[in-house]
Structure formats: C-alpha cells, structure tokens
Amino acid sequence: MILEHQPIKMPAFLNGQAKKLLIDGKWVDAKSGRTFESINPSTGKQLDSLAWGGPEDIDLAVAAARRAFEGPWSKFTPNERHKVLLRLAELVEQRSAELALLDTVDMGGPLAITNWVMGMTVDTFRYNASRALNIHGETLSNSLPISALSYTLREPVGVVGGIIPWNGPVFNACWKIAPVLASGCTLVLKCAEQAALSPLLLGELCLEAGVPPGVINVVTGFGDAGAALAEHMDVDKVAFTGSTETGQKIVRASAGNLKRLTMELGGKSPDIVFADANLDAAVPGAAMGIFGNSGQACLAGSRLFVERPVYEEFTEKVAAFANSLKIGDPTKLDTMIGPVVSKEQMERISGYLQAGVAEGAKAISGGERVTEGELADGYFIPPTTFVGVEDSMSIAKEEIFGPVVSAIPFDDVDEVITRANATPYGLASGVWTSNVDKAMKVSRSLRAGTVWVNSYSLMDPGVPFGGYKMSGYGMESGPHHVEEYLHTKAVWIAHS
Ligand code: ADP
C-alpha cells in the first residue's frame, strides 16, 4: 500500500473492502458488477478498489435524486438545511485528518496542502450554512395601469449533476455539495476515476449529518458516467470542474434539455512581476503559485512574466526556491512536492519538459522526472523553471497541469497586459508591484476571473471564484455560489 518506511496510520476508510456507489442512501455495487483500481501515485501500487459506475448506475442515481428532490428534501425549511450543513461541517472537521490523508495517498498532494484544504472545506460548509438562511427574492415596482404586486421567488433548480476532477477531491466535492444543500437541490456527484475516496467519505458524512437518502449520491467511474449525467434528460443542471476540452463536450451533451451549467475549466494564468515589487515576497509567492500541489491546480500561475531588469535575478531565485522544496513522500509533514496524480499525467508533463527544450527554452531547475532512488516507482516531477521562453512556445500556451513555470521577460506595462491577455483562458492572474497605479491599471485590464495583487492563490469561502473566456462561466465560492443553484420566479398578484 503506502510507502513502507513511514509510520503514519492509514485512514480508517481504507478498510480493505472495495468501495461501492452511494445511491439513495445505500452502498451498492455497480450494475455491471465491475470494479477498478485506485492507485497510490507515490508508489504506483493499488490503494483500493472502486465500483465501476456506468450510465445505468447514473440512471438509478438520478431517479433517487429526483425522488428526494420532490419528496422529503422539499419539506426541509431553510433553518433545517442550515442545521444539516452545520452538522456536516462539524463531522467533516472531526474527520479532517483522515480526509486530508485520503487525498494525500489518493492523488499525491502533500499533507501540508491537504490539511490546509480541509480548513477551507470546513469553512465552506459553514459559509454555505449561512447562505441557506439568506435566500430571498425581491418586491419589484411595476408601472402597470392596474393595481398589481410583482415579486420574485428563489427556487432550487432541481437535480444537479456534479462532475469533478482529481486535483483536489475533497474540496471539489465540497464545492458541489455545499451549494446543493444550501439551495435545496439534490446531487449526483461523479468523481474522477483517479481519486474518489474522500468524496465517497463525504457522502457517508452527509447521511450521518441527517441529509435524507437520495439528496447526495456519489458515483465512481469514468468519462462515460460523466457523459451520461451531462446528457440525462432528468438532470436540471451540471456543475463541472475539469479540462476545457471535456467542458466543451459537456456543453454539447447538455443541449438536449438545455441544462443550466456552471463550468470551472482550465487556465494558463499570467503572474506578472514588476521590477519595483518586493521581490523577497514575490519569489516564494510566485513559486508556490505554480509549484503548489505540483502545479495541478486550475489557477496555477504558469506564465511568469518578469520585467526585464530583474528577469535574471528573479528567475534564479525562483529556481533556487524550487530546489529548496522538499520532494518526496507526501504523507510527511515537511514534504512540499508530492508525486503527480498518475503515470499518464507524469508522461504528459514529461512530454512538455522535452518540448520546452526542443523549442529553445532552458530548465534552470528540475527538467526531468525522478528516475532513481526510492521515489523512482512513484510519479515524481521536480519543480521546473524554464527561462528563455517565448510566447509562441507550447510551454507558454498550453495548460501543462504540472510543476512547470515558463518565465518570460517583458519591458512595459501595456505590452505585458496585451501579452498576458493573449490566451484563450481567463481564470486567474497575479501582479506584483509596489506602485498602486500600476496595480490598479493591470488588475482592471486583465481578462481573468481573479486578480491577486502582491499575493497568489488566496482563497476564502466568502470570495467568488470563476473564469472568463475558455476558463468557463458561473461563480463558485462566495455569495454568488448558491445563486447558481437557484431559479428566479416572477409572481404577479393583480388585485382590484
Ligand atoms: P482530466 O483530463 O484532468 O482528467 P477531465 O476534464 O477529462 O480532466 O475530467 C474531469 C472529470 O470529467 C472526471 O470526473 C472525468 O471522468 C469526467 N469526464 C471525462 N470525460 C467526460 C465526458 N465526455 N463527459 C462528462 N464527464 C467526463
């Protein structure tokens, strides 16, 4: 199972029994009876077995979600949904260490990161508990010549299909479950095939918290299960987090019944460092903005634009910082760089490392996967800093989803704004400067859903997150999150 030398106690959820699907409050096998392996990326060895859910399991889960939506769950008052979310937050907090460790062994994120993510997860459930109490319409004036009252009601959109990736299983699941519970919707959650354990445990905790059976269903499986959800005529909305390519397929598949959609997709985010910035803060900030979670984050600041006078000094410091990050067993608390999630992902990233060199860039840290020593069996890629990068290179244009930063020099503000925006993506961005005018100009001009000034990767349950352009649409987190799960109904009452 996990690396042998380490003393850490495995999560109780890994009890040696194959995991099942959670449908209608019961743990059931996939209709096909098939299972597939979940792999520990630190060792390349099997961690657990998961039920191989397919379209017929999705049908059952959607039917259960519909029954729950129209049945017991519809009777829950806002106050009851608020209490359920608070209970869930409590249970998740109690099991935080286990959930963090599950993600660590399942997808390789170091405990230092997965523990931090658990804090965000608990806070997100609590934040959404408060949102459950704050759903309200408006009374609107009208100019009709008759006497008529017009107002709006907010109503849950119905059955939601949540489709999530592997890069932050517990948090991605939370971003679907929390607004569903706050709004009164029901959910069929399709986890990623690479990492599904913590979402399954979250499903169990929902039941323990008093969420009625059928409100939260969790299905493990591959893309065909996700596709079945996206095209299902009895699903009212899909909330998807994943690649832009798969997002496009989901948009097309959802057309049959014109589902509501929230799309949180890929990115190739610019992080811009001006020469007047506090470089001591910018070096670790920019480095962790890309190397954190081994670059497996949609918001990763993968295009590092550095003003020419400090380009060499800054990139050397980033490379030195990268080399100082401890790479290895992610279950050790001082590890900063764990493995990437899978062999396939490791090979994909390695392809970009080779392409970068072939196109003329130079790696001044990292550059090759680890092939020797005790990490050789796992999927380890050291944090890589490419210099001499040009905008036209594939490493500067395509989302690598690995610990690879492309450092690009620039000469002035308008030029860097144009170049930073010259991407089909628009998820996140960063600006490092001590000049407030520059900070305001750049943050207004970047076409991205988030701009961090003198920081990177700051997140809070109260602040929205979402994309521009091909990074998607709709907001998650913050007050807008639950809005994505609500219809607005206009009511007119004429009276004489
Ligand atoms: P990645 O390439 O990083 O694995 P994807 O966007 O392909 O990311 O996957 C994210 C989620 O989308 C996973 O749960 C995956 O199973 C699911 N998925 C893959 N293909 C499809 C599809 N055609 N329709 C719906 N969901 C899909």
Side-chain angles (χ1 to χ4, degrees):
M1 298 279 190
I2 203 163
L3 295 179
E4 272 165 17
H5 62 265
Q6 51 145 41
I8 202 143
K9 195 166 161 280
M10 286 300 271
F13 195 64
L14 288 177
N15 54 9
Q17 289 179 357
K19 299 292 168 288
K20 301 192 179 200
L21 312 176
L22 180 61
I23 297 180
D24 211 6
K26 296 179 205 73
W27 292 102
V28 295
D29 290 320
K31 278 281 153 202
S32 66
R34 294 171 75 190
T35 59
F36 65 101
E37 288 184 1
S38 168
I39 303 292
N40 179 346
S42 296
T43 60
K45 301 214 172 80
Q46 183 177 355
L47 186 64
D48 211 335
S49 296
L50 302 171
W52 190 325
E56 44 185 350
D57 304 291
I58 292 290
D59 280 347
L60 292 174
V62 171
R66 177 62 61 193
R67 282 194 302 276
F69 180 69
E70 287 171 0
W73 188 231
S74 65
K75 313 269 182 324
F76 268 59
T77 63
N79 196 29
E80 286 167 331
R81 295 202 306 275
H82 166 77
K83 284 191 197 150
V84 158
L85 269 157
L86 287 181
R87 270 202 299 276
L88 179 59
E90 195 71 32
L91 291 171
V92 172
E93 194 163 43
Q94 283 162 15
R95 304 281 288 267
S96 275
E98 185 179 354
L99 283 158
L101 186 53
L102 272 181
D103 275 2
T104 290
V105 294
D106 208 6
M107 54 69 65
L111 265 189
I113 289 180
T114 55
N115 276 330
W116 171 81
V117 167
M118 283 317 301
M120 278 275 293
T121 304
V122 171
D123 289 349
T124 298
F125 282 123
R126 293 217 167 99
Y127 179 82
N128 278 274
S130 78
R131 298 299 297 152
L133 293 176
N134 283 292
I135 293 169
H136 52 79
E138 295 167 296
T139 310
L140 299 145
S141 62
N142 66 73
S143 305
L144 293 193
I146 61 163
S147 181
L149 169 68
S150 42
Y151 62 92
T152 56
L153 294 175
R154 308 307 307 279
E155 296 178 343
V157 298
V159 174
V160 177
I163 305 176
I164 57 172
W166 44 263
N167 64 332
V170 79
F171 191 63
N172 282 318
C174 161
W175 264 12
K176 308 304 177 214
I177 293 172
V180 156
L181 295 179
S183 61
C185 291
T186 57
L187 179 71
V188 177
L189 184 68
K190 210 301 273 174
C191 315
E193 48 272 41
Q194 298 88 344
L197 292 167
S198 63
L200 289 167
L201 179 51
L202 272 189
E204 185 169 295
L205 296 182
C206 285
L207 291 175
E208 215 177 311
V211 177
V215 173
I216 304 293
N217 306 276
V218 187
V219 176
T220 48
F222 292 78
D224 61 331
L229 204 45
E231 65 197 22
H232 204 293
M233 294 299 280
D234 204 26
V235 170
D236 301 294
K237 170 189 168 79
V238 165
F240 173 69
T241 305
S243 63
T244 295
E245 201 187 356
T246 301
Q248 288 174 312
K249 288 186 194 157
I250 290 174
V251 172
R252 285 185 212 108
S254 69
N257 64 339
L258 289 175
K259 288 176 187 63
R260 292 259 304 249
L261 296 171
T262 303
M263 291 276 135
E264 210 267 83
L265 309 176
K268 189 74 189 175
S269 298
D271 197 2
I272 303 170
V273 181
F274 286 96
D276 63 18
N278 172 352
L279 299 187
D280 291 341
V283 168
M288 289 316 288
I290 173 67
F291 299 138
N293 212 30
S294 286
Q296 302 172 118
C298 51
L299 53 76
S302 50
R303 284 185 298 151
L304 182 60
F305 288 99
V306 187
E307 202 166 4
R308 205 174 297 275
V310 294
Y311 181 79
E312 208 175 311
E313 174 197 350
F314 192 79
T315 50
E316 271 167 18
K317 284 186 175 166
V318 167
F321 186 88
N323 287 332
S324 75
L325 295 170
K326 187 165 174 238
I327 179 167
D329 179 350
T331 66
K332 293 203 164 145
L333 278 172
D334 59 345
T335 295
M336 293 307 290
I337 303 287
V340 299
V341 70
S342 62
K343 186 159 182 278
E344 187 192 8
Q345 189 62 10
M346 178 181 71
E347 284 165 359
R348 209 178 144 266
I349 298 166
S350 296
Y352 278 107
L353 296 179
Q354 285 156 17
V357 174
E359 290 173 50
K362 184 174 164 213
I364 57 167
S365 73
E368 273 177 21
R369 68 162 287 218
V370 180
T371 51
E372 285 171 10
E374 61 170 3
L375 303 182
D377 290 339
Y379 313 136
F380 290 88
I381 301 210
T384 298
T385 309
F386 271 122
V387 292
V389 179
E390 293 184 13
D391 296 359
S392 58
M393 295 179 181
S394 61
I395 54 169
K397 289 198 301 197
E398 294 166 26
E399 185 176 40
I400 300 176
F401 227 63
V404 184
V405 72
S406 296
I408 312 168
F410 72 90
D411 293 297
D412 79 68
V413 184
D414 291 321
E415 171 217 327
V416 77
I417 290 170
T418 305
R419 291 169 69 193
N421 281 334
T423 167
Y425 295 112
L427 193 57
S429 56
V431 187
W432 300 84
T433 178
S434 53
N435 178 320
V436 76
D437 290 345
K438 235 184 252 176
M440 289 188 69
K441 176 171 180 164
V442 177
S443 50
R444 268 200 313 269
S445 308
L446 290 176
R447 301 256 299 133
T450 296
V451 185
W452 286 288
V453 178
N454 293 331
S455 60
Y456 206 91
S457 314
L458 299 183
M459 303 283 281
D460 185 88
V463 180
F465 183 80
Y468 279 29
K469 302 195 276 182
M470 287 179 77
S471 291
Y473 42 79
M475 299 309 269
E476 298 198 290
S477 189
H480 310 72
H481 200 171
V482 74
E483 301 286 324
E484 301 277 333
Y485 292 73
L486 296 170
H487 276 310
T488 300
K489 178 185 278 177
V491 182
W492 290 85
I493 301 185
H495 51 104
S496 45

